[in-house]
Each structure stands twice: as C-alpha cells, then as structure tokens.
Amino acid sequence: MAMPLSEARALTGTDQLWLVPGAGKLLVGVTVHDARVSYGRTQLLIQPLSGRGHRWVDADMLQDVTD
C-alpha cells in the first residue's frame, strides 16, 4: 500500500536512506525536501547529503537511517 501524503509530508526535513534502483543494494543518504502525489503514487523530492542535484522518487524507495 502506498504511503499517505500526510505521512510523506511528515518526512520533510529529515534524513533518509534511498535505495537506488538497478544498483543492487546501494543506499544513499538523502534529505527530503517535499512530497507530492503523482499518478496515484506518493513521491518525495530528495537531495543527497553529499554531492549535488535533486529528484522525485517513490516514497517506498526510502527507509529510516539506523545506526
């Protein structure tokens, strides 16, 4: 089930791990900047903690940072 937009918006400003599609088990540290629903899918605008750029990704591709 897709993440509700209200839950996705609560992630704004938090650091998460993004599972990069097609790269095996590569997780990248990102900061969430915004949330939206596009074609029925909840998406988050992310930016890497180190480096440049940003992109919209499906919310189910992110997970909490755990030590």
Side-chain angles (χ1 to χ4, degrees):
M1 185 168 89
M3 177 185 292
L5 185 58
S6 58
E7 284 183 32
R9 285 192 173 140
L11 294 175
T12 301
T14 65
D15 293 340
Q16 300 284 312
L17 291 174
W18 172 47
L19 178 61
V20 180
K25 298 277 184 179
L26 181 62
L27 294 169
V28 176
V30 298
T31 300
V32 178
H33 289 285
D34 201 1
R36 72 178 183 188
V37 174
S38 178
Y39 296 101
R41 297 185 343 216
T42 304
Q43 297 182 327
L44 299 167
L45 180 63
I46 60 169
Q47 181 176 12
L49 295 174
S50 177
R52 289 183 244 165
H54 60 276
R55 70 181 294 175
W56 289 99
V57 299
D58 289 340
D60 61 355
M61 298 300 287
L62 294 179
Q63 55 186 282
D64 291 332
V65 176
T66 57
D67 291 328

